[in-house]
Amino acid sequence: MSVASEYDHAEQVVADVALLQDMAAGRLDEQRVKQAAQVLLEHRRRELPSVSVAVAARLLGVSRTTVESWRQAGVLASAAVKRRRHEVTIDSLVRLQVLVDELRRLGRNRELRDYVWWSAQDSADYADGKLAEALRQLRAGELGEEYVPSDEDLDWARHELDDPAPEERS
């Protein structure tokens, strides 16, 4: 490492440590606390960017087969730089662990694999902009013809809303 690059690295480390010390002492406003949290996150990500499928399975409390199927389906992201053959990123593992913990809290243990899959599909649709675009179209009234109810459907709905319920007729 050259003196210049060591200096740059040391300068960044010193600034990060000073920021974290201020955070620990309670001297930061909300924006600076967020900045300090980002510093911590970056350091932790660099420290352990990915884990093996076996470790992920143990952390999530599911089988290796389940983790492998989630990895292959894209629910868990595969690591870009791998030390071992099958690894997942810490970021995707953390996101999934939050979801799995919430599903377990709600008593969804039996259907965990399916709930995670559907949730991941919803997230993928949102991430690639499909959901955001669909919501924009809905708000703007730009629904495609296949989603607009026919005149007959509208007449039927109006009739149902205007007509009292059968038990109220008697």
Side-chain angles (χ1 to χ4, degrees):
M1 180 183 283
S2 72
V3 172
S5 63
E6 182 181 0
Y7 172 81
D8 291 341
H9 182 70
E11 184 178 44
Q12 185 61 53
V13 168
V14 168
D16 291 349
V17 168
L19 178 63
L20 294 172
Q21 285 176 335
D22 285 346
M23 185 173 100
R27 293 188 292 254
L28 300 181
D29 61 16
E30 185 178 336
Q31 184 62 33
R32 299 265 300 154
V33 167
K34 288 179 182 178
Q35 184 182 3
Q38 277 302 120
V39 167
L40 279 173
L41 281 171
E42 273 310 306
H43 285 289
R44 296 305 288 185
R45 283 185 185 120
R46 275 192 238 125
E47 187 178 313
L48 185 67
S50 62
V51 295
S52 69
V53 166
V55 170
R58 195 165 179 195
L59 287 169
L60 293 169
V62 299
S63 71
R64 288 171 65 173
T65 306
T66 297
V67 171
E68 187 58 38
S69 70
W70 285 339
R71 187 187 67 80
Q72 289 174 353
V75 174
L76 283 166
S78 294
V81 177
K82 299 178 183 180
R83 298 179 311 247
R84 296 176 287 280
R85 214 173 82 189
H86 299 283
E87 291 189 4
V88 297
T89 65
I90 288 293
D91 287 340
S92 67
L93 180 61
V94 168
R95 279 193 307 273
L96 187 58
Q97 188 172 35
V98 168
L99 175 61
V100 166
D101 288 348
E102 180 66 13
L103 289 169
R104 285 191 175 122
R105 189 185 68 72
L106 295 172
R108 303 288 189 215
N109 293 336
R110 288 200 166 278
E111 307 92 358
L112 191 62
R113 197 170 175 168
D114 292 334
Y115 278 105
V116 166
W117 172 253
W118 290 114
S119 177
Q121 290 303 307
D122 290 345
S123 296
D125 287 346
Y126 185 73
D128 74 7
K130 290 179 189 173
L131 182 59
E133 176 59 18
L135 289 172
R136 186 200 64 73
Q137 288 176 349
L138 180 63
R139 288 185 188 112
E142 299 172 0
L143 289 176
E145 287 300 315
E146 66 271 19
Y147 299 111
V148 177
S150 67
D151 288 335
E152 292 123 14
D153 290 339
L154 288 172
D155 289 341
W156 175 84
R158 285 185 191 106
H159 175 73
E160 288 295 311
L161 290 171
D162 291 339
D163 196 21
E167 60 272 358
E168 294 175 12
R169 289 184 195 143
S170 33

